[in-house]
Amino acid sequence: MKAKRAPAAAAEAAALDRASPIPLYVQVRNRLLAMVGGWTDPEKRFFSDEELTAMFGVSRATVREALAELV
């Protein structure tokens, strides 16, 4: 069984403002940019879709749209 990692960026989830006119996928994209920019261990695997959905409290579609913007 694969061990679950505790979200290192749990504070990012709190940063999402559901009342904001900025779409959630854009807010997630901005948080992901900050996370990638601060990534210190190039050998460490980044979070999976499942981990990101739990971290941000959004749907997988929202996470995928944010990731697509980054690609």
Side-chain angles (χ1 to χ4, degrees):
M1 180 178 220
K2 187 162 73 169
K4 291 260 183 191
R5 292 186 292 163
E12 278 76 9
L16 296 182
D17 181 3
R18 294 178 185 278
S20 172
I22 299 171
L24 287 176
Y25 80 93
V26 173
Q27 293 181 52
V28 171
R29 182 200 65 198
N30 293 341
R31 295 273 113 221
L32 291 174
L33 280 171
M35 290 169 66
V36 169
W39 202 256
T40 57
D41 187 358
E43 298 297 319
K44 188 175 178 183
R45 166 184 86 74
F46 197 68
F47 300 100
S48 69
D49 288 358
E50 183 179 298
E51 290 169 321
L52 291 171
T53 59
M55 185 183 304
F56 293 113
V58 296
S59 71
R60 184 170 183 228
T62 300
V63 167
R64 303 283 297 207
E65 191 167 357
L67 291 170
E69 288 264 322
L70 296 175
V71 176

